[in-house]
């Protein structure tokens, strides 16, 4: 979930996963090669991928060998077609990437044709049903749980013919009932061995599958796939899973199930893991490691290949040596949104009446080497058109243009509009309660530097571009000392900058590779952030209504569910008393508030209540 990195934020998406800077060329196919006319077949050839099953087998020079191809996607995030709902145009970025399962389908069809359908498998590593307005619309506006319609991602995945998919953390965003409905619509097995019924070790979802491949002229080949999801679900979707599901350690779960898969006769074991390969977590040590894919390869015997995701990186091929057996595990991650397809080649040799994997390789192929599969586009056209019409609905009139471009170093009007709405909802909710006398503050982060409200009509699309995540609104009680500690933690986002250094704010942000969405700003109090000071000593002049905030002074603080659940590891908020939680979607609250007001006028709400300083001198 997971989008960190010391660079400007990604193009807006309703997803909280890592997204690399789109201007960075992948370690696979470069934009220069694409513009030079590189086809999918020549891209594979460039990566050393044989053009046919016969070529791969012959390369090994063994008549008793056969090569199978495992294709893999991950982090599709409801990118069905090559479309940007925020720009109302075909998707485009500076690296020449395209998006969508329709593009992936064209690659899959070509590879199946080249290799032979019976020699190929297609898996996915999760984060499928959330991420764009398409996913949001069919989860909340016209939810499939009420209409009974087939989810667009189920339609496409069924049409392509996935052999199995794993659950990602974002599969849990819309609740278990919604997830169960989507799973029921999928023809492919949906796997998550480490998602268990609360208080037990009993899987709540299918843990693995075994597929028998019948390659002409060879004995059957049995391929097992173990699915693993991300333990961070316990934090990020606590409201949906607490008391219902637990999420176990990926390594320990694989240690349990890989021997079972082998005992059932699997000749090949593949793991589909919704976890990055860095070995670190975006949260503390209370729950298992978030990005544990390489740890699984290193610590669990009996695995041949791992398709992984979650970090949104392009990793064509990574080899990891297993500590116990000394065997090599090949790993690959296909970036995100359908921009890449991972392609594994596994060569098996017959030995004493059994298959043994004797060769392993992987690469990623850029989907910009093919065109959209027209069948896949047509399949979801009606649903896509409905979402395009929805996001282009007018909401309110803005008296002036507003931009989030400088929201990471200045208090901007467009971010203040989020605060206005959150405070209004919370004030109304606590009126008449024991908390009515407490001041109400608000927390928000700059999710997208590309967000803008035009002068004139503001649409749902514009608001969605500002608030890109499917968060709900809560309110908790924090003290003055807790708020100061919270702000100090947030201020780690800045590099320490000398008082006389040139003013270059873009170079000051994203310290420690912190993403923009983990830079929280408060509204309702005033404060300075002194970036000339070391971390932990940067918050100065914290005041409420012109009076310094006392350590024991209490405030009601509006906050989103991701942060309140512990996402980002901010201090105090996860354990603070919750005084409001009506499951109101923040994006929908902004739309409703703007619709009722009919006008968005920054002169009525924008207040520069925080600023960057150096040794007490304002930067701007």
């Amino acid at each position: 979930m997971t989008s960190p990195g010391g660079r400007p934020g990604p193009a807006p998406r309703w997803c909280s996963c890592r997204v690399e800077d789109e201007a960075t060329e992948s370690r696979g196919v470069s934009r220069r090669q694409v513009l030079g006319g590189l086809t999918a077949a020549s891209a594979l050839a460039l990566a050393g991928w044989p053009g046919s099953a016969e070529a791969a087998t012959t390369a090994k020079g063994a008549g008793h060998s056969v090569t199978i191809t495992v294709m893999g996607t991950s982090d599709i995030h409801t990118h069905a077609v090559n479309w940007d709902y925020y720009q109302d145009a075909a998707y485009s970025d500076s690296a020449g990437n395209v998006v969508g399962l329709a593009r992936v389908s064209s690659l899959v069809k070509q590879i199946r044709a080249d290799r032979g359908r019976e020699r190929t498998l297609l898996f996915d590593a999760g984060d499928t049903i959330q991420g764009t307005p398409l996913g949001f619309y069919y989860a909340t506006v016209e939810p499939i749980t009420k209409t009974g319609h087939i989810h667009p991602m189920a339609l496409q995945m069924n049409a392509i013919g996935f052999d199995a998919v794993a659950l990602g953390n974002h599969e849990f965003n819309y609740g278990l009932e919604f997830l169960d409905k989507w799973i029921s619509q999928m023809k492919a097995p949906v796997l998550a061995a480490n998602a268990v019924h609360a208080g037990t070790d009993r899987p709540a979802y299918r843990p693995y599958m075994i597929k028998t491949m019948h390659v002409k002229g060879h004995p059957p080949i049995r391929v097992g796939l173990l699915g693993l999801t991300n333990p961070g679900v316990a934090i990020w979707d606590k409201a949906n899973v607490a008391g219902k599901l637990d999420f176990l350690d990926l390594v320990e779960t694989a240690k349990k199930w890989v021997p079972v898969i082998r005992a059932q006769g699997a000749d090949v074991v593949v793991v589909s893991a919704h976890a990055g390969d860095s070995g670190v977590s975006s949260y503390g040590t209370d729950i298992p490691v978030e990005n544990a894919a390489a740890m699984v390869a290193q610590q669990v015997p009996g695995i041949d290949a791992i398709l992984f995701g979650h970090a949104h990186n392009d990793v064509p091929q990574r080899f990891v040596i297993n500590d116990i057996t000394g065997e090599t595990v090949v790993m690959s991650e296909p970036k995100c949104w359908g921009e890449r397809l991972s392609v594994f080649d596994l060569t098996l040799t017959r030995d004493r009446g059994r298959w043994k994997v004797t060769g392993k390789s992987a690469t990623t192929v850029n989907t910009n080497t093919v065109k959209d599969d027209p069948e896949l586009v047509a399949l979801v056209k009606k649903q896509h058109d409905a979402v395009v019409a929805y996001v282009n609905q007018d909401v309110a009139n803005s008296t002036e243009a507003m931009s989030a471009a400088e929201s990471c170093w200045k208090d901007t009007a467009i971010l203040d509009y989020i605060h206005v709405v959150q405070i209004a909802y919370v004030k109304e909710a606590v009126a008449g309660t024991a908390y009515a006398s407490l001041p109400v503050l608000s927390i928000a982060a700059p999710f997208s530097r590309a967000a803008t409200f035009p002068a004139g009509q503001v649409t749902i699309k514009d608001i969605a571009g500002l608030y890109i995540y499917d968060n709900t609104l809560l309110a908790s009680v924090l003290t003055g000392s807790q708020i100061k500690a919270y702000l100090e933690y947030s201020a780690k986002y800045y590099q320490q900058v000398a008082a006389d250094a040139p003013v270059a704010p873009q170079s000051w942000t994203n310290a420690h590779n912190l993403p923009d969405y983990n830079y929280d700003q408060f509204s309702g109090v005033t404060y300075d952030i002194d970036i000339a000071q070391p971390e932990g000593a940067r918050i100065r002049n914290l005041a409420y209504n012109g009076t310094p905030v006392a350590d024991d002074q209490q405030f009601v603080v509006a906050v989103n569910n991701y942060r309140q659940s512990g996402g980002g590891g901010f201090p105090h908020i996860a354990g603070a008393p919750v005084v409001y939680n009506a499951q109101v979607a923040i994006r929908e609250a902004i739309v409703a508030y703007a619709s009722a007001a009919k006008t968005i006028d920054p002169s009525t709400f924008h207040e520069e209540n925080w600023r960057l300083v150096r040794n007490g001198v304002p930067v701007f």
Side-chain angles (χ1 to χ4, degrees):
M1 180 166 146
T2 315
S3 309
R7 302 180 280 275
R13 287 293 178 274
W14 296 359
C15 158
S16 54
C17 293
R18 177 175 180 174
V19 181
E20 286 197 314
D21 178 14
E22 60 192 22
T24 303
E25 289 193 349
S26 75
R27 286 169 281 179
V29 182
S30 74
R31 183 169 184 264
R32 182 183 65 255
Q33 292 163 334
V34 171
L35 294 178
L38 188 65
T39 65
S42 55
L44 287 165
L46 188 68
W49 188 83
S52 67
E54 290 73 24
T57 302
T58 302
K60 293 296 174 182
H64 298 290
S65 295
V66 62
T67 296
I68 63 171
T69 297
V70 176
M71 296 172 284
T73 57
S74 188
D75 297 274
I76 296 296
H77 285 293
T78 65
H79 288 84
V81 295
N82 188 44
W83 192 257
D84 188 329
Y85 291 96
Y86 305 98
Q87 300 299 322
D88 202 19
Y91 180 83
S92 175
D93 68 22
S94 59
N97 291 309
V98 297
V99 299
L101 263 183
R103 289 294 178 115
V104 172
S105 180
S106 293
L107 270 182
V108 168
K109 285 182 175 180
Q110 179 172 339
I111 291 169
R112 283 172 174 167
D114 288 344
R115 302 291 274 154
R117 180 70 175 85
E118 75 281 2
R119 296 173 184 261
T120 65
L121 295 171
L122 177 61
F123 300 140
D124 181 81
D127 275 6
T128 302
I129 59 175
Q130 178 276 345
T132 70
L134 183 75
F136 172 79
Y137 188 87
Y138 290 104
T140 61
V141 181
E142 288 188 16
I144 59 170
T145 47
K146 289 190 169 68
T147 65
H149 295 158
I150 306 298
H151 194 283
M153 304 316 293
L155 279 172
Q156 284 195 326
M157 288 185 133
N158 291 342
I160 295 172
F162 275 79
D163 293 289
V165 303
L167 292 178
N169 53 284
H170 281 289
E171 261 66 80
F172 297 87
N173 285 174
Y174 299 122
L176 299 183
E177 179 188 359
F178 185 86
L179 176 55
D180 289 344
K181 182 67 174 179
W182 176 71
I183 291 174
S184 75
Q185 296 177 342
M186 289 287 292
K187 292 180 180 179
V190 179
L191 313 176
N194 60 322
V196 299
H197 293 286
T200 76
D201 61 358
R202 184 164 52 93
Y205 305 93
R206 185 169 173 175
Y208 68 93
M209 58 84 73
I210 296 178
K211 181 89 170 183
T212 301
M213 304 178 72
H214 298 280
V215 179
K216 187 177 180 179
H218 299 278
I221 301 167
R222 290 170 59 80
V223 179
L225 180 75
L226 176 67
L228 299 170
T229 193
N230 203 285
V233 176
I235 291 177
W236 304 319
D237 272 302
K238 181 171 68 175
N240 291 329
V241 302
K244 301 173 183 176
L245 298 176
D246 292 334
F247 296 85
L248 306 181
D249 182 87
L250 274 75
V251 171
E252 296 307 313
T253 301
K255 284 180 179 178
K256 173 181 177 178
W257 288 106
V258 169
V260 171
I261 297 170
R262 287 288 185 186
Q264 295 206 9
D267 303 299
V268 180
V269 173
V270 180
V271 173
S272 181
H274 194 76
D277 63 344
S278 66
V280 300
S281 299
S282 63
Y283 42 74
T285 57
D286 292 341
I287 62 174
V289 174
E290 176 182 356
N291 294 298
M295 295 167 61
V296 172
Q298 186 176 18
Q299 299 177 36
V300 183
I303 297 169
D304 296 299
I306 297 180
L307 169 70
F308 67 103
H310 183 62
H312 293 205
N313 289 329
D314 182 7
V315 183
Q317 177 178 264
R318 177 181 176 184
F319 290 110
V320 176
I321 304 300
N322 185 266
D323 287 344
I324 299 167
T325 65
E327 295 288 333
T328 298
V329 181
V330 62
M331 303 175 60
S332 183
E333 181 180 17
K335 207 168 186 288
C336 60
W337 305 347
E339 293 182 0
R340 304 288 186 274
L341 177 70
S342 284
V343 181
F344 297 82
D345 270 345
L346 304 175
T347 298
L348 290 85
T349 302
R350 200 75 178 159
D351 181 30
R352 299 179 185 177
R354 299 201 60 171
W355 288 113
K356 178 178 175 60
V357 177
T358 54
K360 305 170 183 176
S361 64
T363 189
T364 55
V365 186
N366 198 322
T367 56
N368 67 9
T369 58
V370 294
K371 301 295 184 185
D372 284 339
D373 181 343
E375 294 178 16
L376 268 290
V377 173
L379 199 61
V380 297
K381 184 178 187 305
K382 184 177 179 181
Q383 292 166 307
H384 166 75
D385 289 347
V387 176
V388 170
Y390 168 74
V391 298
N392 281 286
Q393 292 178 30
D394 291 337
V395 174
N397 186 79
S398 179
T399 60
E400 62 183 79
M402 290 180 275
S403 169
E406 296 184 313
S407 291
C408 294
W409 52 86
K410 287 183 181 179
D411 186 330
T412 57
I414 196 168
L415 214 65
D416 274 1
Y417 198 64
I418 300 173
H419 292 305
V420 166
V421 175
Q422 292 186 161
I423 288 173
Y425 269 75
V426 170
K427 277 187 174 179
E428 182 178 359
V430 300
T433 72
Y435 304 98
S437 62
L438 296 181
V440 177
L441 312 181
S442 173
I443 297 172
F447 292 155
S448 170
R449 300 187 192 187
T452 59
F453 285 178
Q457 286 299 321
V458 174
T459 64
I460 290 175
K461 175 183 65 180
D462 298 321
I463 292 173
L466 170 65
Y467 207 94
I468 62 178
Y469 300 131
D470 294 326
N471 294 331
T472 57
L473 182 62
L474 294 91
S476 295
V477 175
L478 292 178
T479 65
S481 62
Q482 290 174 329
I483 289 171
K484 186 167 188 296
Y486 191 108
L487 286 170
E488 289 285 8
Y489 182 90
S490 186
K492 294 193 303 180
Y493 170 80
Y494 292 108
Q495 309 283 350
Q496 188 171 359
V497 181
D500 58 352
V503 175
Q506 288 188 335
S507 68
W508 300 343
T509 64
N510 306 101
H512 309 289
N513 287 326
L514 287 169
D516 293 349
Y517 65 74
N518 271 352
Y519 173 48
D520 280 359
Q521 305 169 11
F522 268 70
S523 180
V525 288
T526 55
Y527 58 97
D528 294 339
I529 305 171
D530 197 327
I531 55 176
Q533 304 305 316
E535 293 176 10
R538 292 178 171 176
I539 303 303
R540 306 293 174 90
N541 305 319
L542 179 61
Y544 174 73
N545 278 351
T547 302
V549 170
D551 285 350
D552 60 352
Q553 189 173 357
Q554 290 189 317
F555 299 86
V556 173
V557 181
V559 63
N560 70 56
N561 65 297
Y562 174 78
R563 192 68 80 230
Q564 192 280 329
S565 297
F570 283 70
H572 305 301
I573 190 67
V578 175
V579 299
Y580 167 74
N581 183 9
Q583 293 294 295
V584 171
I586 295 174
R587 186 188 308 114
E588 295 307 289
I590 298 171
V591 170
Y593 186 92
S595 297
K598 294 186 173 55
T599 300
I600 301 173
D601 183 356
S603 69
T604 64
F605 61 80
H606 178 41
E607 177 189 356
E608 295 182 7
N609 64 284
W610 67 270
R611 61 183 181 176
L612 294 185
V613 301
R614 292 184 291 184
N615 288 346
V617 178
V619 173
F620 305 107

